[in-house]
Amino acid sequence: MATSSSDLPHNLMAFVNDPVSEQIINNVIKEMNLAYAEAKQGTIPEIVEFMKTNRTPKVLITDISDSELPLGDITKIKEFSAPNLNIIVIGSRNDVGLFRDLMNMGVSDYIVKPLNNVILRTAVDDAINNKKTTIEKSGKLINVISSIGGAGATTVAANIAWLLANVNFKRTVLMDMDFLFGTANLLLDLKAENAYLDIIESPDKIDDYFIETILKKSSNRLYYLGGLCDLVRGVVVDLEAFDTLVNIIKKQFNYVVVDSQREVSGVTKIGLNKAEMFIIMVEMSLASAQNAARILEFFNTDQGGKKILIVANKVGMSANGALSKEAFEKVIGRKINYSIPFDEVSALASANIGQPLAASGGPIVEILEEITNDIMGKNESVAIENEIVEKEGITMDVVKNKVLDFISRLK
Protein backbone atom coordinates (compact mmCIF):
# COMPACT_ATOMS: atom_id res chain seq x y z
CA MET A 1 0.00 0.00 0.00
CA ALA A 2 1.47 3.31 -1.03
CA THR A 3 1.07 5.98 1.62
CA SER A 4 -0.47 9.21 0.31
CA SER A 5 -0.19 12.58 1.98
CA SER A 6 -3.82 12.27 3.12
CA ASP A 7 -2.90 9.12 5.06
CA LEU A 8 -0.12 10.88 6.96
CA PRO A 9 -0.80 12.29 10.43
CA HIS A 10 -0.58 15.96 11.39
CA ASN A 11 2.78 16.98 12.78
CA LEU A 12 0.89 19.19 15.21
CA MET A 13 -2.78 19.70 16.01
CA ALA A 14 -3.97 22.23 18.60
CA PHE A 15 -7.39 22.78 20.17
CA VAL A 16 -7.78 25.82 22.45
CA ASN A 17 -10.68 27.74 23.97
CA ASP A 18 -9.69 31.34 23.16
CA PRO A 19 -8.66 33.23 19.99
CA VAL A 20 -5.49 34.71 21.54
CA SER A 21 -3.98 31.28 22.26
CA GLU A 22 -5.04 30.10 18.79
CA GLN A 23 -3.19 33.00 17.16
CA ILE A 24 -0.02 32.51 19.23
CA ILE A 25 0.10 28.81 18.34
CA ASN A 26 -0.41 29.56 14.65
CA ASN A 27 2.44 32.12 14.88
CA VAL A 28 4.73 29.44 16.36
CA ILE A 29 3.71 27.02 13.59
CA LYS A 30 4.81 29.62 11.01
CA GLU A 31 8.03 30.44 12.88
CA MET A 32 8.98 26.75 13.03
CA ASN A 33 7.89 26.19 9.42
CA LEU A 34 5.83 23.15 10.47
CA ALA A 35 3.99 21.38 7.68
CA TYR A 36 0.72 19.54 8.40
CA ALA A 37 0.11 21.68 11.50
CA GLU A 38 -3.03 23.51 12.57
CA ALA A 39 -4.50 25.37 15.54
CA LYS A 40 -8.21 25.92 16.07
CA GLN A 41 -10.72 26.60 18.82
CA GLY A 42 -12.33 23.47 20.16
CA THR A 43 -13.58 21.62 23.24
CA ILE A 44 -12.52 18.31 24.78
CA PRO A 45 -15.43 16.42 23.10
CA GLU A 46 -14.33 17.88 19.75
CA ILE A 47 -10.77 16.68 20.39
CA VAL A 48 -12.06 13.18 21.22
CA GLU A 49 -14.12 13.13 18.01
CA PHE A 50 -11.08 14.27 16.01
CA MET A 51 -8.97 11.47 17.52
CA LYS A 52 -11.67 8.92 16.68
CA THR A 53 -11.87 9.85 13.02
CA ASN A 54 -8.31 10.93 12.14
CA ARG A 55 -4.76 9.63 12.33
CA THR A 56 -3.12 10.53 15.63
CA PRO A 57 -0.94 13.64 15.22
CA LYS A 58 2.68 13.57 16.36
CA VAL A 59 1.95 16.40 18.81
CA LEU A 60 -1.40 17.45 20.27
CA ILE A 61 -1.89 20.73 22.14
CA THR A 62 -5.01 20.65 24.29
CA ASP A 63 -6.54 23.33 26.50
CA ILE A 64 -7.89 22.26 29.92
CA SER A 65 -8.79 25.75 31.17
CA ASP A 66 -12.50 24.87 31.30
CA SER A 67 -12.05 21.26 32.41
CA GLU A 68 -13.52 20.15 35.75
CA LEU A 69 -11.65 16.83 35.66
CA PRO A 70 -8.51 17.51 33.61
CA LEU A 71 -6.86 14.14 34.24
CA GLY A 72 -10.02 12.33 33.22
CA ASP A 73 -10.27 14.43 30.05
CA ILE A 74 -6.65 13.70 29.11
CA THR A 75 -7.35 10.00 29.69
CA LYS A 76 -10.33 10.20 27.31
CA ILE A 77 -8.11 11.73 24.63
CA LYS A 78 -5.38 9.13 25.12
CA GLU A 79 -8.00 6.36 24.87
CA PHE A 80 -8.44 7.12 21.16
CA SER A 81 -4.86 8.04 20.27
CA ALA A 82 -1.84 6.01 19.21
CA PRO A 83 0.69 5.27 21.99
CA ASN A 84 3.37 7.53 20.50
CA LEU A 85 1.28 10.71 20.81
CA ASN A 86 3.01 13.62 22.57
CA ILE A 87 0.57 15.90 24.40
CA ILE A 88 1.26 19.50 25.42
CA VAL A 89 -1.36 20.72 27.87
CA ILE A 90 -2.16 24.39 28.38
CA GLY A 91 -4.36 25.80 31.11
CA SER A 92 -5.08 28.64 33.48
CA ARG A 93 -4.13 26.93 36.79
CA ASN A 94 -0.60 27.47 38.13
CA ASP A 95 -0.78 24.24 40.14
CA VAL A 96 2.33 22.16 40.96
CA GLY A 97 0.18 19.15 41.91
CA LEU A 98 -1.64 19.22 38.57
CA PHE A 99 1.69 19.58 36.74
CA ARG A 100 3.08 16.48 38.48
CA ASP A 101 -0.07 14.45 37.81
CA LEU A 102 0.07 15.35 34.12
CA MET A 103 3.75 14.46 33.90
CA ASN A 104 3.04 11.10 35.56
CA MET A 105 0.47 10.46 32.82
CA GLY A 106 3.15 10.92 30.17
CA VAL A 107 2.21 14.44 29.08
CA SER A 108 5.16 16.23 27.43
CA ASP A 109 4.61 19.63 29.06
CA TYR A 110 2.12 21.83 30.89
CA ILE A 111 2.12 25.56 30.07
CA VAL A 112 0.16 28.14 32.03
CA LYS A 113 -1.63 30.90 30.12
CA PRO A 114 -1.02 33.50 28.80
CA LEU A 115 1.11 31.70 26.22
CA ASN A 116 4.59 32.89 25.37
CA ASN A 117 6.06 32.29 21.89
CA VAL A 118 9.51 31.27 23.13
CA ILE A 119 8.25 28.87 25.82
CA LEU A 120 5.69 27.34 23.47
CA ARG A 121 8.22 26.93 20.65
CA THR A 122 10.61 25.13 23.02
CA ALA A 123 7.81 22.84 24.24
CA VAL A 124 6.77 21.96 20.67
CA ASP A 125 10.39 21.27 19.66
CA ASP A 126 10.88 19.04 22.72
CA ALA A 127 7.66 17.15 21.96
CA ILE A 128 8.42 16.60 18.28
CA ASN A 129 11.89 15.30 19.11
CA ASN A 130 10.80 13.35 22.22
CA LYS A 131 13.27 15.25 24.39
CA LYS A 132 11.14 15.00 27.52
CA THR A 133 9.79 11.49 27.06
CA THR A 134 10.22 9.66 30.38
CA ILE A 135 7.44 7.07 30.07
CA GLU A 136 7.74 4.31 27.48
CA LYS A 137 4.77 4.69 25.14
CA SER A 138 3.75 1.38 23.69
CA GLY A 139 0.61 -0.39 22.56
CA LYS A 140 -0.65 -3.75 23.76
CA LEU A 141 0.25 -6.94 21.90
CA ILE A 142 -2.31 -9.78 22.05
CA ASN A 143 -0.89 -13.15 21.00
CA VAL A 144 -3.54 -15.60 19.76
CA ILE A 145 -2.42 -19.22 19.47
CA SER A 146 -4.24 -22.48 18.73
CA SER A 147 -3.72 -25.59 20.80
CA ILE A 148 -4.56 -27.69 17.75
CA GLY A 149 -5.04 -27.07 14.04
CA GLY A 150 -8.42 -25.59 13.17
CA ALA A 151 -9.18 -24.31 16.67
CA GLY A 152 -9.89 -20.84 15.30
CA ALA A 153 -6.92 -18.63 16.18
CA THR A 154 -7.02 -16.84 12.82
CA THR A 155 -10.77 -16.26 12.97
CA VAL A 156 -10.71 -14.95 16.54
CA ALA A 157 -7.61 -12.79 15.94
CA ALA A 158 -9.17 -11.16 12.85
CA ASN A 159 -12.50 -10.54 14.57
CA ILE A 160 -10.92 -9.09 17.71
CA ALA A 161 -8.79 -6.77 15.58
CA TRP A 162 -11.90 -5.69 13.64
CA LEU A 163 -13.84 -4.95 16.83
CA LEU A 164 -10.97 -3.03 18.41
CA ALA A 165 -10.59 -0.83 15.33
CA ASN A 166 -14.12 -0.39 14.00
CA VAL A 167 -16.22 -0.51 17.16
CA ASN A 168 -13.82 0.80 19.81
CA PHE A 169 -11.86 3.27 17.62
CA LYS A 170 -8.47 1.79 18.49
CA ARG A 171 -5.63 1.99 15.99
CA THR A 172 -5.04 -1.73 15.42
CA VAL A 173 -2.86 -3.99 13.29
CA LEU A 174 -3.52 -7.68 12.62
CA MET A 175 -0.18 -9.43 12.26
CA ASP A 176 0.07 -12.87 10.64
CA MET A 177 3.16 -14.81 11.69
CA ASP A 178 2.54 -17.81 9.43
CA PHE A 179 4.77 -17.05 6.45
CA LEU A 180 3.98 -20.35 4.72
CA PHE A 181 0.21 -20.76 4.89
CA GLY A 182 -1.19 -17.70 6.69
CA THR A 183 -4.82 -16.85 5.86
CA ALA A 184 -5.62 -13.89 8.15
CA ASN A 185 -5.62 -11.54 5.14
CA LEU A 186 -8.54 -13.41 3.55
CA LEU A 187 -10.84 -12.51 6.44
CA LEU A 188 -10.19 -8.82 5.69
CA ASP A 189 -10.33 -9.26 1.89
CA LEU A 190 -6.71 -8.16 1.51
CA LYS A 191 -3.67 -9.47 -0.32
CA ALA A 192 -0.62 -10.67 1.63
CA GLU A 193 2.21 -8.14 1.19
CA ASN A 194 5.54 -9.77 0.37
CA ALA A 195 7.40 -6.50 0.93
CA TYR A 196 6.88 -7.47 4.58
CA LEU A 197 9.10 -10.51 4.05
CA ASP A 198 11.74 -8.32 2.42
CA ILE A 199 11.90 -6.04 5.44
CA ILE A 200 12.35 -8.85 7.97
CA GLU A 201 15.18 -10.23 5.85
CA SER A 202 16.87 -6.82 5.45
CA PRO A 203 17.33 -4.93 8.74
CA ASP A 204 18.76 -1.82 7.06
CA LYS A 205 15.32 -1.02 5.62
CA ILE A 206 13.45 -0.78 8.90
CA ASP A 207 12.19 2.64 9.96
CA ASP A 208 8.84 4.24 10.77
CA TYR A 209 8.13 5.36 7.21
CA PHE A 210 9.03 2.09 5.49
CA ILE A 211 6.76 0.16 7.84
CA GLU A 212 3.92 2.48 6.81
CA THR A 213 4.45 1.45 3.17
CA ILE A 214 4.09 -2.30 3.82
CA LEU A 215 0.90 -2.11 5.87
CA LYS A 216 -2.32 -3.08 4.11
CA LYS A 217 -5.24 -0.86 5.09
CA SER A 218 -8.57 -2.54 5.83
CA SER A 219 -10.37 0.46 7.34
CA ASN A 220 -9.57 3.85 8.86
CA ARG A 221 -8.08 2.25 11.99
CA LEU A 222 -7.45 -1.38 10.99
CA TYR A 223 -4.31 -2.55 9.19
CA TYR A 224 -2.88 -5.93 8.23
CA LEU A 225 0.73 -7.08 8.16
CA GLY A 226 1.69 -10.44 6.71
CA GLY A 227 3.30 -12.17 3.76
CA LEU A 228 3.55 -15.57 2.08
CA CYS A 229 7.00 -16.80 1.14
CA ASP A 230 7.99 -19.05 -1.73
CA LEU A 231 7.41 -22.64 -0.56
CA VAL A 232 10.72 -23.78 -2.04
CA ARG A 233 12.96 -20.92 -0.91
CA GLY A 234 11.21 -20.21 2.37
CA VAL A 235 12.12 -17.10 4.36
CA VAL A 236 15.17 -16.43 6.51
CA VAL A 237 14.11 -13.94 9.17
CA ASP A 238 16.67 -11.58 10.64
CA LEU A 239 15.55 -11.83 14.28
CA GLU A 240 17.08 -8.50 15.27
CA ALA A 241 15.22 -6.83 12.41
CA PHE A 242 11.97 -8.55 13.36
CA ASP A 243 12.39 -7.47 16.99
CA THR A 244 12.90 -3.85 15.88
CA LEU A 245 9.87 -4.04 13.61
CA VAL A 246 7.59 -5.24 16.42
CA ASN A 247 8.88 -2.48 18.72
CA ILE A 248 8.10 0.21 16.12
CA ILE A 249 4.64 -1.20 15.43
CA LYS A 250 3.78 -1.27 19.14
CA LYS A 251 4.57 2.44 19.36
CA GLN A 252 2.39 3.26 16.35
CA PHE A 253 -0.66 1.18 17.29
CA ASN A 254 -2.88 0.85 20.35
CA TYR A 255 -3.26 -2.89 19.74
CA VAL A 256 -1.22 -5.44 17.83
CA VAL A 257 -3.19 -8.67 17.41
CA VAL A 258 -0.89 -11.54 16.44
CA ASP A 259 -2.10 -14.68 14.73
CA SER A 260 0.71 -16.86 16.02
CA GLN A 261 2.27 -20.15 14.91
CA ARG A 262 2.37 -23.07 17.33
CA GLU A 263 5.97 -23.96 16.54
CA VAL A 264 8.48 -22.44 18.96
CA SER A 265 10.78 -20.59 16.54
CA GLY A 266 12.81 -17.42 16.99
CA VAL A 267 10.00 -15.39 15.39
CA THR A 268 7.39 -16.98 17.65
CA LYS A 269 9.47 -16.30 20.76
CA ILE A 270 9.72 -12.60 19.89
CA GLY A 271 5.94 -12.52 19.47
CA LEU A 272 5.54 -14.19 22.85
CA ASN A 273 8.07 -12.02 24.67
CA LYS A 274 6.52 -8.79 23.34
CA ALA A 275 2.98 -9.84 24.29
CA GLU A 276 1.07 -8.42 27.24
CA MET A 277 -1.69 -11.01 26.91
CA PHE A 278 -2.33 -14.46 25.42
CA ILE A 279 -5.45 -16.10 24.03
CA ILE A 280 -5.23 -19.88 23.73
CA MET A 281 -7.82 -21.29 21.34
CA VAL A 282 -8.98 -24.83 22.17
CA GLU A 283 -11.46 -27.47 21.01
CA MET A 284 -13.14 -29.90 23.36
CA SER A 285 -10.88 -32.85 22.48
CA LEU A 286 -8.26 -34.73 24.45
CA ALA A 287 -5.56 -33.78 21.92
CA SER A 288 -6.43 -30.09 22.29
CA ALA A 289 -6.48 -30.38 26.08
CA GLN A 290 -3.07 -32.06 26.13
CA ASN A 291 -1.53 -29.37 23.93
CA ALA A 292 -3.21 -26.55 25.87
CA ALA A 293 -1.79 -27.94 29.12
CA ARG A 294 1.69 -27.98 27.56
CA ILE A 295 1.31 -24.41 26.27
CA LEU A 296 0.15 -23.25 29.69
CA GLU A 297 3.11 -24.96 31.35
CA PHE A 298 5.45 -23.23 28.88
CA PHE A 299 3.80 -19.84 29.49
CA ASN A 300 4.02 -20.25 33.26
CA THR A 301 7.73 -20.99 32.92
CA ASP A 302 8.69 -18.54 30.18
CA GLN A 303 5.97 -15.86 30.30
CA GLY A 304 4.96 -15.83 33.97
CA GLY A 305 2.57 -13.14 35.21
CA LYS A 306 0.97 -12.28 31.87
CA LYS A 307 -2.79 -12.51 31.41
CA ILE A 308 -4.05 -15.66 29.67
CA LEU A 309 -7.54 -16.31 28.30
CA ILE A 310 -8.71 -19.80 27.36
CA VAL A 311 -11.31 -19.67 24.58
CA ALA A 312 -13.14 -22.85 23.56
CA ASN A 313 -14.29 -22.88 19.94
CA LYS A 314 -16.87 -25.03 18.09
CA VAL A 315 -18.61 -25.85 21.35
CA GLY A 316 -21.59 -28.13 20.76
CA MET A 317 -20.16 -29.74 17.63
CA SER A 318 -20.95 -33.45 17.69
CA ALA A 319 -17.70 -35.42 17.69
CA ASN A 320 -16.55 -38.76 18.98
CA GLY A 321 -14.32 -38.43 22.01
CA ALA A 322 -15.34 -34.83 22.82
CA LEU A 323 -14.61 -33.91 26.42
CA SER A 324 -17.04 -32.22 28.77
CA LYS A 325 -16.13 -28.74 29.95
CA GLU A 326 -15.40 -30.09 33.44
CA ALA A 327 -13.12 -32.84 32.11
CA PHE A 328 -11.28 -30.41 29.84
CA GLU A 329 -10.71 -27.95 32.68
CA LYS A 330 -9.41 -30.75 34.87
CA VAL A 331 -6.81 -31.67 32.24
CA ILE A 332 -5.53 -28.10 31.76
CA GLY A 333 -5.80 -27.17 35.45
CA ARG A 334 -7.81 -23.97 34.97
CA LYS A 335 -11.18 -22.62 33.86
CA ILE A 336 -12.24 -21.94 30.28
CA ASN A 337 -12.90 -18.19 30.08
CA TYR A 338 -15.13 -18.05 26.99
CA SER A 339 -17.00 -20.59 24.85
CA ILE A 340 -17.87 -19.97 21.19
CA PRO A 341 -20.72 -22.15 19.85
CA PHE A 342 -20.27 -24.19 16.68
CA ASP A 343 -21.59 -22.34 13.63
CA GLU A 344 -19.95 -23.71 10.51
CA VAL A 345 -22.27 -21.89 8.09
CA SER A 346 -21.50 -18.40 9.41
CA ALA A 347 -17.76 -19.10 9.62
CA LEU A 348 -17.56 -20.35 6.01
CA ALA A 349 -19.72 -17.50 4.72
CA SER A 350 -17.50 -14.99 6.48
CA ALA A 351 -14.32 -16.48 5.00
CA ASN A 352 -15.79 -16.64 1.49
CA ILE A 353 -16.84 -12.98 1.37
CA GLY A 354 -13.70 -11.67 3.10
CA GLN A 355 -15.57 -10.13 6.02
CA PRO A 356 -15.15 -10.90 9.73
CA LEU A 357 -18.05 -12.44 11.63
CA ALA A 358 -18.04 -9.36 13.86
CA ALA A 359 -19.34 -7.25 11.00
CA SER A 360 -22.54 -9.30 10.68
CA GLY A 361 -23.91 -9.63 14.25
CA GLY A 362 -25.28 -12.71 15.99
CA PRO A 363 -24.64 -14.77 19.14
CA ILE A 364 -21.02 -15.54 18.24
CA VAL A 365 -20.33 -11.82 17.89
CA GLU A 366 -21.62 -11.17 21.41
CA ILE A 367 -18.96 -13.52 22.77
CA LEU A 368 -16.27 -11.95 20.58
CA GLU A 369 -17.31 -8.56 21.96
CA GLU A 370 -16.98 -9.87 25.51
CA ILE A 371 -13.47 -11.12 24.75
CA THR A 372 -12.58 -7.73 23.22
CA ASN A 373 -13.92 -5.91 26.29
CA ASP A 374 -11.81 -8.19 28.47
CA ILE A 375 -8.72 -7.29 26.43
CA MET A 376 -9.45 -3.58 26.86
CA GLY A 377 -10.15 -3.90 30.60
CA LYS A 378 -13.73 -2.66 30.19
CA ASN A 379 -15.10 -5.30 32.53
CA GLU A 380 -13.01 -3.95 35.41
CA SER A 381 -14.11 -0.36 34.65
CA VAL A 382 -17.80 -1.35 34.69
CA ALA A 383 -17.34 -3.05 38.06
CA ILE A 384 -15.77 0.12 39.51
CA GLU A 385 -18.56 2.29 38.05
CA ASN A 386 -21.31 0.11 39.53
CA GLU A 387 -19.64 0.17 42.92
CA ILE A 388 -19.43 4.00 42.92
CA VAL A 389 -23.09 4.37 41.85
CA GLU A 390 -24.21 2.01 44.61
CA LYS A 391 -22.18 3.75 47.31
CA GLU A 392 -22.62 7.40 46.31
CA GLY A 393 -25.93 7.44 44.41
CA ILE A 394 -24.65 9.77 41.66
CA THR A 395 -25.19 9.87 37.90
CA MET A 396 -23.29 7.60 35.55
CA ASP A 397 -21.73 10.54 33.64
CA VAL A 398 -20.14 11.78 36.86
CA VAL A 399 -19.06 8.22 37.67
CA LYS A 400 -17.34 7.74 34.31
CA ASN A 401 -15.31 10.92 34.82
CA LYS A 402 -14.41 9.81 38.35
CA VAL A 403 -13.25 6.44 37.02
CA LEU A 404 -11.21 8.01 34.22
CA ASP A 405 -9.63 10.46 36.67
CA PHE A 406 -8.82 7.60 39.07
CA ILE A 407 -7.39 5.33 36.37
CA SER A 408 -5.19 8.15 35.04
CA ARG A 409 -3.55 8.48 38.46
CA LEU A 410 -2.65 4.79 38.45
CA LYS A 411 -0.86 4.93 35.08
Side-chain angles (χ1 to χ4, degrees):
M1 178 191 75
T3 304
S4 67
S5 60
S6 61
D7 291 325
L8 296 173
H10 282 79
N11 282 314
L12 183 146
M13 193 68 201
F15 292 85
V16 295
N17 66 358
D18 68 277
V20 175
S21 297
E22 178 187 8
Q23 184 60 54
I24 291 173
I25 295 172
N26 276 319
N27 289 342
V28 169
I29 289 172
K30 291 178 182 178
E31 290 172 13
M32 298 182 70
N33 197 27
L34 282 176
Y36 303 107
E38 181 183 358
K40 61 170 66 175
Q41 293 184 59
T43 62
I44 296 295
E46 288 173 318
I47 297 174
V48 171
E49 188 59 32
F50 174 86
M51 302 304 278
K52 282 184 179 181
T53 55
N54 294 273
R55 286 284 302 276
T56 300
K58 292 182 179 179
V59 178
L60 174 70
I61 299 177
T62 181
D63 193 336
I64 61 168
S65 300
D66 298 330
S67 176
E68 294 182 5
L69 292 167
L71 301 184
D73 285 338
I74 296 300
T75 301
K76 283 182 188 176
I77 293 168
K78 289 168 69 72
E79 184 180 349
F80 299 105
S81 67
N84 57 354
L85 171 67
N86 285 308
I87 302 178
I88 297 172
V89 178
I90 63 176
S92 55
R93 291 166 53 186
N94 192 358
D95 185 334
V96 174
L98 175 61
F99 174 82
R100 288 175 177 168
D101 286 339
L102 290 169
M103 294 302 105
N104 288 336
M105 290 180 66
V107 166
S108 295
D109 213 336
Y110 175 62
I111 304 174
V112 180
K113 293 181 178 181
L115 297 181
N116 173 286
N117 282 45
V118 175
I119 293 174
L120 181 62
R121 189 166 59 246
T122 300
V124 171
D125 181 66
D126 288 347
I128 288 176
N129 295 292
N130 295 310
K131 292 180 181 178
K132 287 190 175 182
T133 300
T134 56
I135 297 176
E136 182 66 24
K137 300 175 181 179
S138 183
K140 189 174 185 179
L141 191 149
I142 315 300
N143 197 299
V144 187
I145 185 169
S146 286
S147 63
I148 194 170
T154 299
T155 298
V156 167
N159 278 276
I160 286 171
W162 192 93
L163 286 167
L164 286 167
N166 296 307
V167 175
N168 296 283
F169 303 100
K170 301 298 183 183
R171 188 163 150 80
T172 305
V173 61
L174 174 63
M175 191 171 179
D176 194 337
M177 284 195 178
D178 188 344
F179 307 135
L180 289 173
F181 301 105
T183 58
N185 61 301
L186 299 179
L187 294 179
L188 301 179
D189 196 24
L190 296 171
K191 291 183 179 180
E193 180 54 78
N194 285 335
Y196 169 46
L197 302 182
D198 294 337
I199 196 174
I200 59 179
E201 289 185 307
S202 306
D204 58 306
K205 293 182 180 179
I206 294 183
D207 57 39
D208 291 26
Y209 177 75
F210 193 82
I211 288 176
E212 289 273 357
T213 68
I214 63 172
L215 294 171
K216 304 290 287 186
K217 187 174 183 179
S218 173
S219 66
N220 190 39
R221 286 183 172 263
L222 179 58
Y223 293 77
Y224 162 79
L225 185 59
L228 296 175
C229 67
D230 183 279
L231 293 178
V232 175
R233 186 180 75 87
V235 59
V236 180
V237 178
D238 184 296
L239 295 181
E240 184 178 348
F242 188 75
D243 186 89
T244 300
L245 178 141
V246 176
N247 286 337
I248 292 174
I249 290 175
K250 287 188 70 177
K251 291 178 181 178
Q252 293 182 348
F253 289 86
N254 300 102
Y255 289 93
V256 181
V257 182
V258 172
D259 181 13
S260 187
Q261 304 177 62
R262 275 182 294 140
E263 64 177 86
V264 185
S265 64
V267 168
T268 306
K269 284 186 176 180
I270 290 173
L272 297 177
N273 292 334
K274 301 291 183 184
E276 282 73 32
M277 182 176 179
F278 301 104
I279 297 176
I280 303 176
M281 298 299 304
V282 302
E283 292 182 359
M284 304 308 288
S285 67
L286 184 59
S288 178
Q290 173 182 272
N291 288 345
R294 295 182 66 210
I295 293 171
L296 284 166
E297 183 180 2
F298 171 71
F299 282 174
N300 289 333
T301 301
D302 197 63
Q303 304 290 330
K306 295 181 179 180
K307 185 171 183 176
I308 301 172
L309 296 180
I310 306 294
V311 178
N313 195 18
K314 303 178 183 177
V315 175
M317 180 177 68
S318 178
N320 293 329
L323 297 178
S324 67
K325 181 180 179 183
E326 293 74 17
F328 194 101
E329 290 175 340
K330 186 174 181 179
V331 173
I332 67 173
R334 61 175 291 159
K335 295 288 185 181
I336 292 172
N337 299 96
Y338 298 96
S339 296
I340 300 175
F342 178 61
D343 185 353
E344 186 178 24
V345 175
S346 296
L348 288 174
S350 171
N352 287 336
I353 64 175
Q355 177 176 284
L357 282 166
S360 60
I364 291 181
V365 179
E366 292 178 10
I367 297 168
L368 291 168
E369 288 173 342
E370 288 181 21
I371 297 170
T372 305
N373 288 340
D374 200 335
I375 289 170
M376 297 174 63
K378 282 190 174 182
N379 298 342
E380 289 87 345
S381 295
V382 169
I384 295 172
E385 289 168 5
N386 290 338
E387 184 178 350
I388 294 175
V389 168
E390 185 177 339
K391 286 183 177 179
E392 301 187 19
I394 53 182
T395 66
M396 187 56 74
D397 285 341
V398 174
V399 168
K400 288 184 182 299
N401 276 334
K402 279 178 170 283
V403 171
L404 288 170
D405 208 44
F406 172 73
I407 290 173
S408 70
R409 294 174 185 272
L410 297 179
K411 293 182 176 180

